[in-house]
Amino acid sequence: MQNKGLIKFFAIVFALVCIYQLTFTYVSHGIQDDAKAFAKGDTDKEVAYLERMKDSVVYLGYTYKEVSDKQINKGLDLEGGINVMLEISVKEIIQGLANNSTNPVLNKALDEATKNREGNQDYLDAFFIAFDKVSNGSVKLASPELFTNRVMDQAVNTNMTDAQVKAVLRKKVAEAIDSAFGVLTERIDKFGVVQPNIQKIGESGRIMLELPGAKDIDRVKKLVSSTAQLEFWEAYKVGEMQGFLMGANQALMATEKKVETTETKTTQNDSIEKLLGGKDSLNAAKKGNNPLFDKLMPNQNGGPVLGYASTKDTASINAYLKRNDIRSLLTGDQRFARFAWGKEAAGAKGILELYALKGNKGNVAPLGGNVITGANAAFDQQNRPSVEMQMSPRGAMKWEEMTGKAYTQQGFIAIVLDNVVYSAPGVTTGPISGGNSQITGSFDVTESKDLANILRAGKLPAKADIVQSEIVGPSLGQEAIDNGIMSSIVGLLLVSLWMVVYYGKAGWYANVALIVNLLFLFGVLASFGAVLTLPGIAGIVLTMGTAVDANIIIYERAKEELRAGRTLDEAVKISYSWRGAMSSITDANVTHILTGLVLLIFGTGPVKGFATTLLIGIFTSLFTSIFIARLFLDNDIKKGNVVNFVTGMSKNWFTNFHYNFLGAKKFTYIFSSLVVVVSCISFYVNGLDQGIDFVGGRTFQVKFEKPVNVDEIKEELEKQFEGEYVDAKVFGNASQLRITTKYKVAENTVEADTEVNQKLYAGLKKHYTNLDYEKFASSYTGKQYGIMQASKVSAVVADDIKANSIWAVLGSMAIVFIYLMVSFRKWQYSLGAIAAVAHDVIFVLGIYSLCYKFMPFHMEMDQHFIAAILTVIGYSMNDTVIVFDRVREFLAGKTKGKFADIVNASVNTTMSRTINTSLTMILVLLIMFIFGGDSIRGFIFAMLVGIIVGTYSSLFIATPVLVDSVSAKDKDRIEHEHNDEVVVAEKVK
């Protein structure tokens, strides 16, 4: 090997750099451990400790913030926390750019785009298609009633074509999404978690937030989904709206069904009574005779509050108040009234206050949040948490005018955030000048801090829906770390042991290369600031198997050369040459890299982490296998030491194969055809267990105190979820279930999520001895029972994931087909490889379709499963390429015999390589399957089946298809050339 000194120097420098990079992770984790010890389980104290350390120099002149930026971060599934995908409403952005036009063509096009948007299609593209179809040239986008308006600020004029306006809209929408990204980044930076991650997902309007370690899930959701649309409205007094409410109740008596009920005293009524000042003040009307007042308790104490209602009744009341016949009872300026609910009051859980705001024809607030220049958490005169705000000069003038009017008329000003009334104070000291104001209400210190944070960051350009979320408890994360470490150690030991048992001294060299490879791998991950996930750990363990693959291919070739009578020096040089093992290694790893790149491009979250680890592992393992192990071999050659690449035990293992692979093709074709047919029938009869990634829905991993009956749980939850189908499966053991439902999955609100959690608790609480709702639903360190993990995927995201998955599988197969055709220069090789891969994919899918109903671990079709399928494609190609490379070598060589004999001989001589590469992979996958934990067991099982089937298909499907697709003419030519060459060689002798 040339330039050995340079390679040694590079390896040493690279190793030192990797060690240096990893020290940042070590130091950062040490400080985080100190924070945990100091906080003793108090998250706020832990965050405060790390916040204080942020600017302190802790290591080699670096501050803690700089050190933590250079560490390997733990992903959600290892640290616990929340992952949220927000979708900024592009529809609302377009409506805003059109100045909320009422043009029927525009609004119909928006509705059509919402309804007909295809998986993986941007909303803006769907809108353009729908607009062209609906308008049919009758209305131009540059029309004054559409996008030539003051909002667009002369970016569009009436002379522009639709194509030009579309380009402007794309730019404006992109700017709005960038603005939303900036607002959310500022909010999250102030939230107080270590190493938050926020990134845009292409131009789709989606933004992914990952907050490792976050435990207050509801707080996070409110923080990120709040539009921060702050408005100041005048509020009607209860006396001004009493006539309307009485008339509405009277009108509803004629249309609503009368239901006689017996009024009973409940905790809810106790809360209402407490709010209203006692039982005597309640309306004494008999329940069942008053449709509106049965749900809305009127306020008889004056002020801006019209009445009080239970949260569950607000939807019905809203429906009443929106009815045209009911709104027609409003007269004069009251016909523009806006009804809004207040924030849930402290001490009155589940009870909301109803307000009526003095609306106007344009439905524009007299004063908006855009005048706010600053906000900070404070306390009011009664020492209650509040938010102080500072206004711009223009806002201060308007505020003085509004407060002066309220003072004169003894009115009230409602402070409304995202259509929720936080407070509606009166003005008792005259007009307020200077632009300083205060929001008070029933919220705690944390909520006041979050509200001030939201107002400082500014409002989002449109509403942000939580279309996908995943919540992982910290206890589950620690369990995943323990399982990952266990599988890594056991996998490393077994692979190392096998290499020593099979290859002797050369096996030790491969093991040294493996250890160096792991150092390089972690060093590169640290340098990139990568996030380590549970699938990422799986990728590392998998890298252990791939790391020795190149060594196996090289060592097997060296053994062949030694058997042919060559010296150790000659055997090593040939095995490391292109005509030796390098062509096989290159082709195998290029196909593997291509499928890994597809996985990286189309994957998200943990799947992307798996792809990143896998790709880095491929490059580091290639370097260590080719160069590090070679250094030891060259040193033995220089010293005259003997290296046989075998041990006394393994000397005759996997040698002298003379199996007629092509002769067995009839049986293998029949067997594989039966598998394909049975699989297709199963797809039709059983289908596949499509996870929420593919169909949308909510999934909960729930831990019970003792084993439970699955059917009983399903029945109880279906009652709670109003008849919606619930799927429950044992996950790991009978005291832990994976529960899936589509109940209210289309409602992307915090309130809907909370309602689902409450119904889940109501259906399951009898299975717990002493577990309240807060402990059941919340996330905290040391949690043993309740919701351990929760995920939600909306239908539109599920469509995108499914589309991405299909394209990923088809795209990877197409890319590999093209590469093999270019590399081997014959399409028959590509055909054989693709036939084998298609067979493997159908086989794995068939196993999952046949077995998912009774297997003791979940076998869902989700993103992790697609990652497994793509990995199977990569490794199946790897095995096939090793075989094909020898076939190509023998067909271009001097082996005598018929075409089928030459191919059979080439396959038989690769058996040791094929078995060893597959065996090491199967070994590490088995270890991961046993020790890796329940959450990735289905993912690993798919790869395990795939590798086994891939080994079979590379021998019994790929090669026969290759042979059968070669024309008879080409076969005759090859046989003629080979036999003539042999005859000529014998005559020369």
Side-chain angles (χ1 to χ4, degrees):
M1 180 174 63
Q2 297 177 342
N3 300 318
K4 279 190 289 186
L6 183 62
I7 291 169
K8 282 182 182 178
F9 174 77
F10 175 78
I12 292 170
V13 170
F14 193 24
L16 290 174
V17 169
C18 289
I19 292 170
Y20 170 73
Q21 289 290 343
L22 289 171
T23 58
F24 289 98
T25 301
Y26 176 78
V27 172
S28 180
H29 283 183
I31 295 171
Q32 289 166 20
D33 289 341
D34 291 343
K36 284 184 172 66
F38 170 79
K40 297 179 180 178
D42 188 323
T43 305
D44 291 336
K45 281 187 178 180
E46 183 181 337
V47 170
Y49 181 96
L50 295 174
E51 189 69 21
R52 287 197 302 271
M53 292 292 296
K54 188 168 63 175
D55 297 321
S56 302
V57 176
V58 295
Y59 180 62
L60 300 179
Y62 289 100
T63 64
Y64 169 66
K65 185 179 185 306
E66 292 169 331
V67 168
S68 62
D69 287 341
K70 293 175 179 290
Q71 71 172 337
I72 298 177
N73 298 307
K74 288 183 287 189
L76 212 66
D77 47 5
L78 299 180
E79 181 77 7
I82 180 169
N83 177 301
V84 173
M85 186 182 289
L86 296 168
E87 184 168 71
I88 306 300
S89 176
V90 177
K91 179 179 180 179
E92 280 195 12
I93 295 174
I94 295 171
Q95 287 172 323
L97 293 173
N99 200 21
N100 295 311
S101 171
T102 57
N103 182 277
V105 173
L106 173 69
N107 290 308
K108 185 176 181 183
L110 289 169
D111 291 339
E112 288 288 318
T114 303
K115 184 172 66 174
N116 299 327
R117 179 182 175 190
E118 298 176 356
N120 222 23
Q121 183 183 40
D122 288 347
Y123 183 88
L124 197 56
D125 291 331
F127 166 70
F128 290 153
I129 293 169
F131 182 83
D132 291 341
K133 181 181 177 182
V134 172
S135 69
N136 197 23
S138 63
V139 180
K140 289 180 62 179
L141 288 170
S143 167
E145 56 184 318
L146 295 187
F147 296 104
T148 300
N149 58 54
R150 61 182 179 82
V151 175
M152 295 296 282
D153 194 24
Q154 299 182 341
V156 174
N157 61 67
T158 54
N159 296 321
M160 294 175 72
T161 64
D162 279 358
Q164 290 172 320
V165 178
K166 287 176 182 178
V168 174
L169 289 177
R170 285 191 188 280
K171 182 181 178 183
K172 291 287 186 182
V173 169
E175 288 173 353
I177 293 169
D178 286 341
S179 172
F181 181 78
V183 169
L184 288 168
T185 300
E186 191 168 344
R187 289 185 191 178
I188 292 304
D189 284 345
K190 303 295 182 185
F191 180 70
V193 293
V194 181
Q195 298 296 322
N197 178 31
I198 175 170
Q199 54 184 285
K200 287 194 299 180
I201 309 297
E203 300 301 323
S204 63
R206 291 177 186 160
I207 297 172
M208 191 198 77
L209 300 168
E210 191 168 83
L211 304 176
K215 297 178 177 65
D216 193 341
I217 305 306
D218 287 340
R219 180 186 170 201
V220 172
K221 287 184 175 180
K222 288 175 183 175
L223 181 73
V224 299
S225 63
S226 172
T227 310
Q229 183 72 38
L230 181 66
E231 298 170 328
F232 300 88
W233 294 86
E234 294 178 62
Y236 284 105
K237 301 173 191 176
V238 64
E240 294 174 307
M241 298 299 289
Q242 267 183 343
F244 163 71
L245 293 175
M246 294 294 290
N249 186 61
Q250 198 70 26
L252 289 167
M253 286 182 183
T255 60
E256 296 301 296
K257 185 178 179 181
K258 189 182 295 185
V259 180
E260 293 288 344
T261 61
T262 302
E263 186 170 5
T264 57
K265 190 174 181 180
T266 64
T267 304
Q268 204 169 73
N269 281 342
D270 289 344
S271 299
I272 298 171
E273 289 172 24
K274 195 173 183 181
L275 283 171
L276 296 176
K279 186 174 181 179
D280 293 339
S281 64
L282 287 175
N283 193 334
K286 186 180 180 182
K287 289 184 71 67
N289 294 338
N290 300 280
L292 179 60
F293 294 144
D294 284 344
K295 294 181 173 65
L296 180 71
M297 292 292 185
N299 173 26
Q300 299 178 352
N301 296 333
V305 178
L306 304 186
Y308 306 85
S310 169
T311 305
K312 66 182 178 61
D313 291 328
T314 56
S316 299
I317 296 171
N318 288 340
Y320 292 157
L321 298 177
K322 286 178 181 177
R323 277 172 44 170
N324 292 332
D325 60 328
I326 301 301
R327 287 200 68 88
S328 67
L329 300 174
L330 293 164
T331 58
D333 288 341
Q334 285 188 358
R335 68 185 188 277
F336 299 120
R338 281 183 55 190
F339 294 97
W341 295 98
K343 187 179 179 295
E344 187 178 88
K349 192 174 180 62
I351 305 301
L352 301 181
E353 301 169 338
L354 179 65
Y355 295 83
L357 311 178
K358 293 184 178 181
N360 49 59
K361 189 175 181 180
N363 198 27
V364 178
L367 189 62
N370 57 327
V371 302
I372 301 299
T373 58
N376 58 281
F379 292 91
D380 65 10
Q381 293 179 345
Q382 283 77 41
N383 203 35
R384 296 174 302 180
S386 64
V387 176
E388 292 181 345
M389 300 178 294
Q390 297 78 47
M391 297 183 181
S392 65
R394 182 178 66 84
M397 289 176 61
K398 184 63 179 177
W399 182 242
E400 186 173 359
E401 178 189 327
M402 287 183 69
T403 54
K405 183 179 178 182
Y407 173 71
T408 302
Q409 299 178 355
Q410 295 186 336
F412 300 87
I413 297 176
I415 301 172
V416 185
L417 181 69
D418 292 341
N419 209 37
V420 173
V421 179
Y422 271 67
S423 61
V427 180
T428 58
T429 58
I432 300 173
S433 60
N436 291 321
S437 59
Q438 189 177 61
I439 301 177
T440 58
S442 49
F443 40 71
D444 57 27
V445 174
T446 299
E447 288 176 309
S448 66
K449 287 180 180 178
D450 285 346
L451 180 54
N453 176 16
I454 288 170
L455 294 176
R456 277 198 306 271
K459 72 173 185 177
L460 293 173
K463 70 175 181 179
D465 288 332
I466 299 175
V467 294
Q468 183 178 353
S469 66
E470 182 177 12
I471 301 162
V472 181
S475 303
L476 205 60
Q478 186 58 51
E479 182 182 337
I481 293 173
D482 296 340
N483 291 333
I485 292 173
M486 174 65 75
S487 60
S488 299
I489 293 173
V490 175
L492 176 64
L493 291 175
L494 286 180
V495 170
S496 300
L497 180 62
W498 173 256
M499 292 300 290
V500 171
V501 168
Y502 195 83
Y503 292 109
K505 186 190 288 187
W508 282 110
Y509 299 159
N511 290 339
V512 172
L514 176 60
I515 293 169
V516 174
N517 171 55
L518 290 175
L519 173 63
F520 287 175
L521 174 59
F522 279 106
V524 174
L525 287 172
S527 301
F528 286 172
V531 177
L532 190 61
T533 61
L534 187 56
I537 291 179
I540 291 171
V541 180
L542 213 53
T543 298
M544 296 177 193
T546 59
V548 296
D549 276 0
N551 285 121
I552 289 171
I553 295 171
I554 292 166
Y555 289 175
E556 290 300 319
R557 185 57 186 249
K559 283 162 64 175
E560 291 174 8
E561 298 303 328
L562 288 174
R563 290 193 194 104
R566 291 185 172 84
T567 64
L568 177 61
D569 186 18
E570 292 171 336
V572 169
K573 284 179 179 177
I574 291 173
S575 61
Y576 278 93
S577 69
W578 184 260
R579 72 183 184 90
M582 287 303 105
S583 61
S584 297
I585 291 171
T586 301
D587 286 331
N589 281 281
V590 167
T591 55
H592 204 181
I593 289 168
L594 289 173
T595 54
L597 285 172
V598 170
L599 196 58
L600 185 68
I601 293 167
F602 288 97
T604 59
V607 175
K608 196 180 286 286
F610 171 74
T612 302
T613 306
L614 204 60
L615 285 169
I616 293 172
I618 291 170
F619 287 106
T620 56
S621 63
L622 277 175
F623 175 80
T624 54
S625 299
I626 294 171
F627 295 110
I628 301 299
R630 176 80 184 269
L631 290 173
F632 291 101
L633 290 173
D634 284 348
N635 186 58
D636 278 331
I637 291 169
K638 183 179 179 180
K639 292 182 177 180
N641 296 333
V642 176
V643 181
N644 294 321
F645 302 97
V646 292
T647 63
M649 187 187 304
S650 66
K651 185 175 182 180
N652 296 316
W653 289 359
F654 313 135
T655 57
N656 299 318
F657 278 97
H658 298 291
Y659 186 76
N660 185 4
F661 288 96
L662 295 179
K665 71 179 181 181
K666 289 182 180 178
F667 302 103
T668 57
Y669 277 174
I670 291 171
F671 170 74
S672 293
S673 298
L674 282 173
V675 168
V676 170
V677 170
V678 170
S679 296
C680 290
I681 292 172
S682 182
F683 297 155
Y684 179 77
V685 176
N686 289 333
L688 288 158
D689 187 14
Q690 296 190 64
I692 63 171
D693 282 357
F694 281 9
V695 295
R698 301 174 186 269
T699 293
F700 301 91
Q701 184 176 328
V702 181
K703 190 78 178 288
F704 296 88
E705 296 170 354
K706 55 186 178 182
V708 292
N709 183 286
V710 174
D711 293 331
E712 182 184 346
I713 294 292
K714 288 170 69 174
E715 185 179 342
E716 290 168 346
L717 290 179
E718 283 177 1
K719 290 177 184 176
Q720 287 292 327
F721 292 139
E722 300 172 13
E724 182 73 56
Y725 174 73
V726 173
D727 184 37
K729 294 177 182 173
V730 172
F731 190 75
N733 58 68
S735 63
Q736 186 167 249
L737 298 185
R738 191 179 181 93
I739 298 168
T740 304
T741 179
K742 288 189 178 182
Y743 182 70
K744 291 203 171 182
V745 71
E747 295 186 25
N748 299 312
T749 63
V750 177
E751 291 74 20
D753 293 344
T754 303
E755 181 187 343
V756 173
N757 285 347
Q758 289 172 342
K759 286 182 177 291
L760 184 69
Y761 175 69
L764 301 178
K765 65 181 179 181
K766 75 175 188 180
H767 297 282
Y768 296 98
T769 306
N770 185 23
L771 189 72
D772 60 23
Y773 170 74
E774 292 300 325
K775 289 185 177 179
F776 173 81
S778 61
S779 177
Y780 56 90
T781 303
K783 183 173 183 178
Q784 294 181 327
Y785 306 113
I787 299 175
M788 309 301 290
Q789 182 173 2
S791 303
K792 172 195 165 187
V793 179
S794 69
V796 64
V797 173
D799 288 342
D800 289 357
I801 292 173
K802 186 181 288 188
N804 276 342
S805 300
I806 293 170
W807 283 114
V809 174
L810 295 178
S812 64
M813 292 174 71
I815 291 169
V816 171
F817 180 91
I818 294 168
Y819 173 77
L820 290 180
M821 190 164 63
V822 171
S823 178
F824 284 84
R825 295 181 177 83
K826 286 186 181 292
W827 61 268
Q828 288 91 343
Y829 287 98
S830 295
L831 180 65
I834 290 300
V837 166
H839 165 273
D840 299 343
V841 171
I842 293 172
F843 200 114
V844 175
L845 288 171
I847 291 287
Y848 269 60
S849 177
L850 288 165
C851 302
Y852 77 84
K853 292 182 179 179
F854 57 84
M855 277 292 195
F857 52 88
H858 76 98
M859 301 178 74
E860 290 182 353
M861 292 278 291
D862 55 15
Q863 291 188 83
H864 289 171
F865 179 82
I866 296 302
I869 289 294
L870 289 174
T871 307
V872 166
I873 289 173
Y875 283 105
S876 180
M877 290 290 182
N878 196 324
D879 274 346
T880 302
V881 164
I882 290 173
V883 175
F884 279 3
D885 187 75
R886 183 53 62 92
V887 171
R888 177 175 58 180
E889 180 186 341
F890 273 37
L891 290 178
K894 299 179 181 180
T895 305
K896 183 178 179 182
K898 293 184 179 180
F899 184 85
D901 296 334
I902 297 170
V903 172
N904 266 324
S906 61
V907 176
N908 276 291
T909 56
T910 62
M911 283 302 295
S912 182
R913 286 193 287 181
T914 301
I915 292 172
N916 265 299
T917 53
S918 297
L919 198 61
T920 52
M921 285 305 310
I922 291 168
L923 195 62
V924 295
L925 287 169
L926 271 175
I927 296 305
M928 290 162 66
F929 182 76
I930 296 168
F931 297 104
D934 297 322
S935 57
I936 61 168
R937 193 156 281 143
F939 163 62
I940 298 300
F941 183 73
M943 284 197 284
L944 186 58
V945 172
I947 297 301
I948 295 171
V949 175
T951 304
Y952 159 81
S953 67
S954 65
L955 298 172
F956 294 102
I957 301 297
T959 308
V961 169
L962 164 66
V963 172
D964 290 344
S965 59
V966 174
S967 66
K969 182 179 178 181
D970 284 344
K971 290 177 183 176
D972 289 340
R973 178 182 57 77
I974 291 169
E975 289 177 1
H976 182 72
E977 289 175 356
H978 277 241
N979 291 325
D980 280 354
E981 285 177 3
V982 173
V983 170
V984 170
E986 288 176 352
K987 286 182 178 179
V988 169
K989 288 180 181 179

